[in-house]
Amino acid sequence: MDPQWPSWKKALTDEFKKPYWHQLTEFVAEEYKTKVIFPPARDMFFALKATPFEDTNVLILGQDPYHNADQAHGLAFSVQHGMKPPPSLVNIFKELTTDLGCERPGDACLIRWAEQGVLLLNTVLTVRSHAPGSHKGKGWETFTDAIIRALSARERPVVFVLWGKQARDKKALIDETRHTIIESSHPSPLTVNDGFLGSRPFSRINEALVEYGQKPIDWQL
């Protein structure tokens, strides 16, 4: 897994020398050879390609990729152009409409957010077909924790968006004295009514960005 994203490669240079990275590389390569893995290998690091380190103003943290065909493409919560939005993304769009009055988008690909500095990062970057969580505990979490730490150490503030327990457990990696953390339950249908709906994350993100002297995100897709 040769990193082809220069700004992140520089920020994470020490990670690529560690034993876990070599073990993870071997594991993932073998999985792609022998099983159906999502996202396609070319999109494994698409979040880092789409949103460079120096351009990241917001991080929205997901879990592992969608595990059905033609959905995952390397951006957390997003699906490929033309695909029907999964239930969690439907709920995100509902909250977006309630919060900011945005129209329900005709396309569920979130690349437009990524291009505006929203890093859509999963904690685990690959998954076996129809086997959610199948690549947990293989090393991806160590790598994505390093991404969170690198952003937390950066001088310019970042808005960290943590939805659900797995994401909220990452708070310990973030310097709360310098960055903004927005958290709630996960947009999954199982937990969406436990605090996600009505949490107004998108307007709160933009308020924080403006306070930091940064450009707000145009969330309308």
Side-chain angles (χ1 to χ4, degrees):
M1 298 188 293
D2 180 34
Q4 298 296 322
W5 2 277
S7 66
W8 285 106
K9 187 175 182 180
K10 183 178 179 180
L12 301 168
T13 184
D14 290 342
E15 298 304 302
F16 308 122
K17 304 170 187 175
K18 295 179 180 178
Y20 88 85
W21 179 259
H22 300 292
Q23 294 163 6
L24 175 62
T25 297
E26 291 175 0
F27 168 77
V28 170
E30 184 64 21
E31 288 284 285
Y32 273 104
K33 284 180 185 176
T34 58
K35 298 176 177 65
V36 178
I37 304 298
F38 299 125
R42 67 179 182 275
D43 290 334
M44 199 186 320
F45 299 107
F46 186 52
L48 302 182
K49 295 176 184 177
T51 312
F53 176 71
E54 64 274 8
D55 294 342
T56 299
N57 294 325
V58 180
L59 182 146
I60 297 179
L61 194 62
Q63 298 178 1
D64 58 349
Y66 296 123
H67 54 86
N68 292 325
D70 301 322
Q71 290 184 320
H73 66 122
L75 300 180
F77 296 105
S78 180
V79 291
Q80 297 183 41
H81 286 294
M83 297 302 296
K84 181 180 177 181
S88 291
L89 189 52
V90 169
N91 287 328
I92 289 171
F93 289 157
K94 284 181 182 177
E95 181 61 20
L96 186 59
T97 298
T98 302
D99 187 5
L100 294 176
C102 292
E103 296 179 9
R104 172 70 183 268
D107 193 0
C109 177
L110 306 181
I111 182 62
R112 191 165 181 272
W113 295 356
E115 291 172 345
Q116 295 180 76
V118 181
L119 179 64
L120 297 164
L121 181 72
N122 283 314
T123 55
V124 175
L125 300 190
T126 52
V127 68
R128 289 179 190 166
S129 175
H130 307 303
S134 50
H135 284 186
K136 286 184 179 179
K138 303 298 184 181
W140 280 128
E141 295 92 339
T142 304
F143 179 64
T144 53
D145 281 0
I147 291 174
I148 296 170
R149 287 193 184 96
L151 288 171
S152 179
R154 207 183 63 182
E155 184 175 347
R156 195 171 78 249
V158 177
V159 182
F160 291 89
V161 182
L162 310 178
W163 290 332
K165 183 182 184 305
Q166 186 171 318
R168 294 167 91 168
D169 285 345
K170 304 297 184 181
K171 281 179 70 173
L173 305 176
I174 303 165
D175 182 352
E176 296 185 60
T177 67
R178 298 193 301 112
H179 304 284
T180 295
I181 297 177
I182 294 172
E183 56 182 316
S184 72
S185 64
H186 195 275
S188 161
L190 298 174
T191 57
V192 69
N193 292 313
D194 295 339
F196 177 78
L197 293 179
S199 63
R200 301 183 59 246
F202 305 102
S203 58
R204 291 164 65 196
I205 291 167
N206 279 354
E207 287 166 7
L209 291 175
V210 170
E211 185 177 328
Y212 293 146
Q214 298 171 12
K215 187 178 179 180
I217 306 300
D218 178 2
W219 296 103
Q220 180 67 65
L221 295 169

